[in-house]
Amino acid sequence: MTQPQNRRAFLAGFTAASVILAFSPSARAWLSEPEAAADAVPLPPLDGQLLFAPDDLGAAADDFGHILHHTPFAVLLPGSIADIRRIVRFAHAHRIPIGGMSMIGNTHSVYGQSQVEAGIVINMASLAAIHEIDEDCALVDAGVRWVDLLAATTPLGKSPPALTDHIDLSIGGTLSVGGIGGQAFRHGMLVDNVLELEVVTAQGRLVACSPTRHPALFHAALGGIGQFGIITRARVRLVDVPGMVRRYTALYSALVDMMADQEMLMDDGRFDYVEGFALPAEGGGWMYQIEAAKYYAPGQPPDDAALTGDLGFAPSTLTAEDLTHFDFANRIAPLVAFLKSIGAWELPHPWIDTFVPGSQAASFIQSVLDQTTADDMGGGPILIYPFKRAAVTAPFVALPDEPTVYLFSLLRTAPPPAVPDLLAKNRAIYETLRDLGGKRYVASGVPFTSADWQDHFGAAWPAFVHLKHRFDPRRVLTPGPAIFD
């Protein structure tokens, strides 16, 4: 239906590479002269480009975290889904690892999850068409960004029911890890609002799947960390939205008071969106800000007193602003533009996102905040908000086994010398949380071993291993998370 930019112009913007014609499996090397190796295998014909230039490889050896750097052999800019199938079949045959959930420049992976040492990274940005927008769904390429989809659907009075706070992310990459935002208490994660997928498995098969058609692959790919296939298209759910949003914020001096109000709002459903933050307090320590949003039709604003009158915040701190639905969804964009303008976007981001059991949330979050300073955060936000465990159905999105779960995220920005210490703190936070029955969000910067992953998936681990063997028996897809030794 729409193509954000001409594919030929997009491909032309990348560095031209030397002419590579073949691959030598024994030497693990690309060849410009196939006769240089007895076992040279010619590259498959492509509609797009396979890039080998140092600048392109350097870009693929980085992510939003700017912490780990694994350099691939090549970067694929697919000109078609057929290109992905061809290169994946080639990689599978010759045991070349594939970075299977990467869209360079539009990912929040912070610890090398989509990188691949001496393999091939697929940059899905060249496949970014919106093919259909219907009454209740949209069919999109995996490289489409949520902001592009919103720009197309909000004029029609429609939106995906759940969104991440930062919508300048690719749909395929987000669906590979889960995707969470302030609508999760009502609609679950982004992976819970997908109707169909097209997935390329490690053998190069293109499989159309849904809850009733090839359901094992469908459920495994959503939140499956790129382990079972490469999402190339998705049919995502749309709901009617009235066009305007009133966004409320207010401050609390005590964490437990904000959390009590958040849980009340989650249960009674008066708002369409609920989040919260820890903010540096004057003189040290933290204060707490609730953020809630109510959707409404133009000319029919909500009743502020009815929505907020029974909440326990300091009344003088209440603010309300009216935004279009698109501007509310894209409210982070001005901050991102500012951070890019001062160079902060390019600094390391040793983030940790956690899922905390509701029964332990107040004490655990407070204990972490008591050991965290504003300097530790480097100006990055701290997110705190609850959602209902039952709203999340993807089997490999690991969550605590309690009815209420809190997202608790320390989204740090740090100078490079501070990164090792902050990663060590992340690991210590994780270990304490693990012992309480909590989990980490897989995009986090937390050093993990294969044993950690087994603990992370818990009872789902045998199924995870079984499906990995079924759909990626040579384990070539997405080695970045280091799930398997």
Side-chain angles (χ1 to χ4, degrees):
M1 180 175 176
T2 66
Q3 182 78 33
Q5 53 187 316
N6 179 273
R7 180 176 292 129
R8 181 174 296 175
F10 179 90
L11 294 172
F14 283 78
T15 306
S18 301
V19 178
I20 301 295
L21 301 175
F23 178 76
S24 168
S26 62
R28 312 302 295 169
W30 301 97
L31 306 172
S32 57
E33 299 178 358
E35 63 274 12
D39 63 346
V41 181
L43 295 181
L46 297 172
D47 300 316
Q49 295 184 42
L50 201 59
L51 306 179
F52 301 88
D55 287 350
D56 300 317
L57 302 186
D62 196 10
D63 57 22
F64 182 67
H66 309 303
I67 297 168
L68 297 183
H69 302 278
H70 300 302
T71 303
F73 276 147
V75 175
L76 174 68
L77 287 175
S80 62
I81 291 175
D83 275 358
I84 298 174
R85 298 184 65 190
R86 293 172 187 131
I87 211 68
V88 169
R89 279 198 299 265
F90 185 86
H92 181 263
H94 303 293
R95 298 184 182 270
I96 302 170
I98 291 278
M101 59 180 196
S102 177
M103 178 178 174
I104 299 169
N106 292 90
T107 174
H108 269 174
S109 294
V110 300
Y111 205 62
Q113 289 92 337
S114 59
Q115 298 174 31
V116 54
E117 186 74 32
I120 301 172
V121 167
I122 299 176
N123 186 345
M124 299 294 290
S126 56
L127 296 180
I130 300 171
H131 296 279
E132 299 173 12
I133 297 177
D134 298 322
E135 277 297 309
D136 61 353
C137 62
L139 179 64
V140 298
D141 285 342
V144 171
R145 302 172 302 160
W146 294 100
V147 65
D148 298 324
L149 180 59
L150 263 289
T153 62
T154 50
L156 305 175
K158 298 184 182 299
S159 170
L163 291 165
T164 53
D165 290 335
H166 184 214
I167 59 173
D168 192 19
L169 303 174
S170 73
I171 289 177
T174 308
L175 297 181
S176 292
V177 296
I180 188 167
Q183 305 92 346
F185 73 96
R186 186 187 295 271
H187 297 291
M189 294 188 182
L190 277 63
V191 290
D192 299 298
N193 294 280
V194 179
L195 303 176
E196 299 172 354
L197 294 173
E198 288 185 5
V199 178
V200 174
T201 68
Q203 296 93 337
R205 293 178 58 222
L206 179 65
V207 181
C209 52
S210 71
T212 58
R213 185 182 182 190
H214 303 293
L217 181 58
F218 177 79
H219 293 299
L222 292 170
I225 327 177
Q227 296 300 302
F228 310 105
I230 299 167
I231 296 172
T232 57
R233 273 185 195 166
R235 187 177 296 277
V236 299
R237 194 185 312 277
L238 297 178
V239 295
D240 294 331
V241 290
M244 294 297 295
V245 178
R246 181 161 291 178
R247 173 181 175 264
Y248 300 88
T249 65
L251 296 177
Y252 297 74
S253 59
L255 174 64
V256 292
D257 293 338
M258 182 185 75
M259 293 173 65
D261 278 356
Q262 286 179 318
E263 293 194 29
M264 178 177 70
L265 298 178
M266 177 182 68
D267 290 337
D268 68 28
R270 72 181 81 171
F271 285 105
D272 298 287
Y273 162 104
V274 176
E275 288 196 9
F277 307 88
L279 304 175
E282 188 174 349
W286 303 95
M287 57 184 175
Y288 307 95
Q289 181 185 70
I290 198 169
E291 180 183 38
K294 182 68 176 178
Y295 304 164
Y296 70 94
Q300 301 176 32
D303 184 333
D304 295 346
L307 288 172
T308 66
D310 59 345
L311 301 181
F313 54 78
S316 63
T317 67
L318 177 65
T319 69
E321 65 171 338
D322 295 310
L323 303 162
T324 66
H325 189 93
F326 179 85
D327 287 341
F328 172 71
N330 199 35
R331 65 197 176 281
I332 305 299
L335 174 60
V336 171
F338 170 74
L339 293 173
K340 288 181 177 179
S341 72
I342 64 172
W345 202 249
E346 302 306 317
L347 288 172
H349 297 95
W351 286 6
I352 178 170
D353 299 86
T354 66
F355 295 123
V356 188
S359 65
Q360 305 290 330
S363 58
F364 173 78
I365 293 171
Q366 189 67 67
S367 69
V368 173
L369 292 176
D370 288 345
Q371 301 172 58
T372 301
T373 68
D375 288 342
D376 288 335
M377 297 305 302
I382 298 175
L383 308 183
I384 305 165
Y385 59 87
F387 61 97
K388 296 179 180 180
R389 174 66 180 84
V392 180
T393 59
F396 297 134
V397 175
L399 295 172
D401 190 18
E402 290 196 6
T404 297
V405 175
Y406 271 80
L407 177 81
F408 174 48
S409 299
L410 303 175
L411 306 185
R412 305 185 184 98
T413 297
V419 169
D421 179 59
L422 293 173
L423 291 177
K425 289 182 177 180
N426 285 357
R427 179 68 200 190
I429 290 169
Y430 166 74
E431 290 179 358
T432 301
L433 176 65
R434 176 198 60 199
D435 295 343
L436 297 174
K439 302 291 183 180
R440 54 156 273 197
Y441 188 39
V442 296
S444 296
V446 180
F448 246 38
T449 66
S450 182
D452 290 323
W453 282 111
Q454 293 181 47
D455 182 75
H456 172 84
F457 288 113
W461 175 250
F464 193 94
V465 173
H466 169 75
L467 291 170
K468 181 68 170 178
H469 181 72
R470 177 177 172 185
F471 295 116
D472 182 18
R474 293 189 170 183
R475 297 182 179 177
V476 297
L477 294 178
T478 317
I483 296 175
F484 300 96
D485 290 332

